């Protein structure tokens, strides 16, 4: 009886706290500048993100659901059914398959927050009931181990295999459950997450550092802090703090797993890029709650290292398929540590062999979003947007049916060997389907990144046609961004007191201009900052921001050997590429050179049924190369030739092609 009463009080207290329902709920975090808007309060109305959201709702989510519920293709849901005793058989699929399914549920919950689609709600209810049924009484939940325990009672292998992704899966469970709770008000999924978090709290109390470090790919740092924000149970924040402090305490840590040295001694990005970015995002969550300046200092240093020396122009992270860590223990060759899917050395940014797993690029967004909430600094929104429009969106086909695992910046059908984790879009990435549901939840949640709030007013982070509606505020945003830089904000409802609008002026933008109710406004608009407009507004006020976005040529730091003598093209936040279907069949992408004075005209095109902005111009056709390794440079002058560049994210939607972001400069 007492237990029931306590539970009732707990649920009531959750309901009271549910007033702020933002994706990353920092509304009570003492060390952040900003918090998000409630999920469901931003709805895409027109243009780019309305289109992407429709593809998510109508194609990505139903297809992923079908795949994960079809045991002939994927055991993602069947594994839960077997673990719950509702079916028989063995676990199939990668050990992180539970996490894939949780990410899909998170995406469904985030879409439900906007659409209130009853069918989505009942699908989630059905899945959550099965998940709850398979959870062990002590809160442990991980289908590979639970299924084995059912077959061999008394034998448990929990946390024995560090590649088993248990905490990774539980971390995604916690994040997904918080989003589900905020979207639906239901505590069914949240209860499963709370039980699993309580299990982890007790596990870390009693386990050795060796067992405790069996936690690769730390999505659970973000998950456990979000659960702390939802429940206010201080044990969860304590666990998150301890998880950081126990890194590097064992003798056999690796740079690949970012635990060879304690995190507080890390000032550069290293190792597996998904694990790294998830770790940095989770540490930022801990800093948001604790104000730990020392950890913040680590994050600042690592962020500079990534953005100044290790990140691709697409916001992609993870230059290397495979490599070694020369920083590790010894120069004795057998002792040198391997890294994989990893950050490279400074300026080591190959193009064709760039790994850039979609999940790493999403991790880059998750990290920068948290840094923005911590600081209110627009440099983080710039990187978030850079990754989002380029190396994240590239991860899914325009129709929402096929996915990339890796996101290289150049592809050639004549490439002489097959890469491990080969490129090419696939409907179901059999060995690593982590990226597709990660993309689904990310696209579902772009609306939650669009605005932030604090006591001064509202911060406009991302531009796109939408309405923001809260109890005190209604703003309509009209724009054809990212194809056009004119943005109109109409204030339909606004507090009748001094209230600030903070408009993000992207770092790439020059000569932005502003008018209020048609009159030019002289507020200074500095690139890479938020411009504060503080007024006592009235309903119907209209703010118009113009962000010119000419196509520009970009060169890399000359230390990047792989792009010496080459340029890339960017217009607004979009990075462009040259793809073979836009050239005559006898012309190779490698024979095109870009004159420094090229004029590129924006041109509306369609690929399939999708509208996007290409860039047309006149480039130079170089004499063809022969097959020799070295050959004398031809003296035949290049010939002017028309070219069309398309957004990088839209490549590989027209069959098997050659593509390059970096092009020779003439
Ligand atoms: Zn992935």
């Amino acid at each position: 009886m007492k237990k029931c009463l306590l539970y009732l009080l707990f649920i009531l207290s959750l309901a009271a706290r549910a007033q702020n329902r933002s994706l990353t709920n920092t509304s009570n975090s003492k060390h952040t500048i900003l918090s998000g808007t409630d999920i469901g309060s931003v709805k895409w109305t027109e243009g780019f993100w309305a289109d992407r959201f429709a593809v998510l709702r109508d194609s990505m989510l139903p297809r992923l659901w079908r795949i994960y519920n079809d045991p002939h293709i994927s055991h993602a849901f069947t594994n839960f059914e077997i673990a719950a005793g509702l079916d028989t058989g063995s676990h199939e699929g990668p050990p992180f398959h539970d996490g894939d399914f949780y990410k899909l549920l998170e995406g469904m919950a985030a879409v439900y927050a906007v659409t209130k689609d009853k069918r989505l709600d009942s699908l989630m209810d059905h899945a959550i009931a099965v998940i709850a049924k398979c959870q062990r009484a002590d809160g442990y939940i991980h289908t590979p181990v639970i299924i084995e325990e059912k077959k061999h009672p008394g034998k448990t292998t929990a946390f024995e295999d560090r590649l088993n992704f248990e905490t990774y899966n539980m971390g995604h469970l916690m994040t997904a459950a918080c989003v589900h709770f905020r979207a639906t008000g239901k505590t069914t999924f949240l209860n499963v997450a709370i039980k699993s978090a309580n299990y982890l709290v007790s596990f870390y109390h009693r386990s050795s550092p060796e067992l405790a470090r069996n936690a690769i790919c730390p999505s659970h740092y973000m998950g456990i802090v979000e659960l702390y924000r939802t429940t206010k149970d201080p044990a969860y924040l304590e666990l998150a703090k301890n998880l950081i402090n126990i890194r590097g305490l064992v003798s056999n840590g690796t740079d690949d797993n970012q635990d060879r040295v304690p995190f507080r001694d890390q000032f550069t990005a290293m190792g597996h890029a998904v694990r790294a970015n998830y770790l940095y995002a989770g540490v930022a969550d801990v800093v948001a709650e604790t104000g730990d300046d020392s950890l913040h200092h680590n994050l600042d240093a690592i962020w500079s290292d990534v953005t100044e020396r290790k990140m691709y122009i697409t916001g992609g992270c993870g230059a290397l398929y495979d490599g070694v860590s020369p920083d590790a223990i010894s120069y004795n060759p057998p002792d040198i540590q391997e890294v994989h899917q990893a950050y490279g050395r400074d300026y080591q940014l190959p193009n064709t062999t760039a790994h850039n797993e979609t999940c790493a690029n999403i991790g880059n967004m998750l990290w920068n979003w948290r840094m923005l909430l911590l600081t209110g600094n627009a440099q983080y929104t710039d990187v978030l947007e850079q990754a989002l429009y380029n190396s994240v969106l590239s991860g899914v086909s325009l129709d929402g049916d096929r996915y990339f695992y890796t996101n290289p910046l150049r592809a050639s059908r004549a490439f002489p060997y097959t890469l491990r984790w080969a490129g090419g879009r696939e409907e179901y990435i059999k060995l690593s389907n982590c990226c597709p549901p990660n993309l689904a939840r990310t696209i579902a949640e772009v609306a939650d990144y669009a605005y932030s709030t604090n006591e001064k007013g509202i911060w406009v982070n991302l531009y796109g046609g939408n309405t923001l509606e809260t109890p005190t505020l209604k703003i309509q945003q009209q724009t054809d961004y990212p194809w056009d830089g004119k943005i109109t904000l109409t204030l339909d409802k606004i507090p009748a007191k001094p209230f600030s609008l903070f408009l993000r002026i992207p770092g790439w933008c020059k000569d932005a201009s502003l008018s209020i109710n048609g009159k030019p406004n002289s507020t200074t608009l500095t690139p890479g900052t938020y411009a504060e407009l503080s007024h006592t507004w009235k309903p119907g006020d209209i703010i118009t921001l113009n962000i010119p976005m000419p196509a520009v040529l970009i060169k890399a730091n000359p230390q990047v050997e792989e792009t010496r003598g080459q340029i890339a093209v960017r217009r607004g936040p979009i990075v462009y590429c040259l793809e073979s279907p836009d050239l005559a069949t006898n012309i190779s992408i490698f024979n095109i050179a870009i004159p420094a004075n090229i004029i590129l005209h924006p041109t509306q095109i369609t690929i399939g049924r999708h509208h996007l902005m290409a860039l047309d111009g006149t480039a130079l056709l170089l004499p063809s190369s022969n097959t020799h390794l070295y050959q004398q440079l031809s003296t035949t002058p290049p010939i002017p030739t028309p070219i069309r560049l398309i957004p990088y994210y839209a490549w590989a939607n027209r069959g098997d092609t050659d593509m390059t972001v970096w092009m020779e400069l003439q």
Side-chain angles (χ1 to χ4, degrees), residues 482-518:
W483 310 132
D484 184 86
K486 183 182 175 190
I487 298 133
T488 303
L489 298 164
T490 306
L491 309 181
D492 289 339
K493 187 156 100 178
I494 193 89
K497 60 179 185 182
F499 187 86
S500 289
L501 294 176
F502 294 86
L503 303 183
R504 173 173 157 256
I505 312 300
W508 45 259
C509 155
K510 289 186 183 136
D511 305 322
S513 61
L514 184 74
S515 66
I516 297 176
N517 296 328

Side-chain angles (χ1 to χ4, degrees), residues 40-115:
S41 62
V42 175
K43 293 184 173 65
W44 301 115
T45 51
E46 59 172 6
F48 190 91
W49 287 109
D51 291 347
R52 290 295 95 204
F53 187 85
V55 167
L56 166 72
R57 182 192 59 211
D58 301 336
S59 174
M60 291 174 73
L61 285 184
R63 284 169 186 274
L64 284 170
W65 179 265
R66 208 159 47 239
I67 286 170
Y68 281 176
N69 280 274
D70 182 346
H72 299 295
I73 306 173
S74 157
H75 251 229
F77 189 60
T78 305
N79 288 334
F80 286 109
E81 291 179 309
I82 297 170
L86 301 170
D87 202 346
T88 55
S90 299
H91 181 275
E92 286 182 29
F96 45 83
H97 228 18
D98 292 2
D100 295 342
F101 195 76
Y102 297 143
K103 280 182 280 187
L104 175 60
L105 285 178
E106 181 184 335
M108 291 165 74
V111 168
Y112 174 80
V114 175
T115 64

Side-chain angles (χ1 to χ4, degrees), residues 63-243:
R63 284 169 186 274
L64 284 170
W65 179 265
R66 208 159 47 239
I67 286 170
Y68 281 176
N69 280 274
D70 182 346
H72 299 295
I73 306 173
S74 157
H75 251 229
F77 189 60
T78 305
N79 288 334
F80 286 109
E81 291 179 309
I82 297 170
L86 301 170
D87 202 346
T88 55
S90 299
H91 181 275
E92 286 182 29
F96 45 83
H97 228 18
D98 292 2
D100 295 342
F101 195 76
Y102 297 143
K103 280 182 280 187
L104 175 60
L105 285 178
E106 181 184 335
M108 291 165 74
V111 168
Y112 174 80
V114 175
T115 64
K116 300 296 179 195
D117 178 347
K118 287 191 172 64
R119 188 174 135 74
L120 270 185
D121 194 27
S122 69
L123 288 176
M124 290 189 290
D125 282 348
H126 167 67
I128 290 164
V130 174
I131 291 167
K133 194 170 167 55
C134 86
Q135 186 168 33
R136 258 179 16 195
D138 64 358
Y140 179 85
I141 182 164
H142 179 65
T143 61
V145 165
I146 292 174
I147 290 172
E148 275 308 295
E149 285 175 358
K150 277 195 156 35
K151 287 183 174 172
H152 309 285
K155 179 175 178 257
T156 180
T157 55
F159 287 97
E160 283 185 3
D161 180 356
R162 67 189 302 248
L163 293 177
N164 222 348
F165 287 88
E166 281 140 308
T167 46
Y168 169 86
N169 286 342
M170 290 189 217
H172 278 301
L173 163 64
M174 293 172 208
T175 302
C178 289
V179 172
H180 178 261
F181 169 62
R182 288 167 193 160
T184 64
K186 297 178 184 178
T187 54
T188 44
F189 205 16
L190 191 64
N191 288 336
V192 178
I194 288 170
K195 279 171 73 177
S196 75
N198 292 344
Y199 173 85
L200 279 186
V201 168
S202 103
F203 171 76
Y204 279 99
H205 270 148
R206 65 181 194 279
S207 81
S208 65
E210 277 70 22
L211 266 185
R213 77 178 277 279
N214 280 352
I216 60 170
C217 210
S219 69
H220 55 304
Y221 290 33
M222 287 179 274
I224 198 87
V225 176
E226 209 52 50
L227 201 60
Y228 163 71
R229 291 171 179 150
T230 306
T231 64
K232 289 289 173 287
D233 186 335
Y236 301 156
L237 182 59
E238 273 311 302
L239 174 58
K241 284 155 57 178
N242 289 340
L243 287 168

Side-chain angles (χ1 to χ4, degrees), residues 357 359 405 434-435:
E357 182 181 337
C359 285
Y405 183 58
C434 48
C435 305

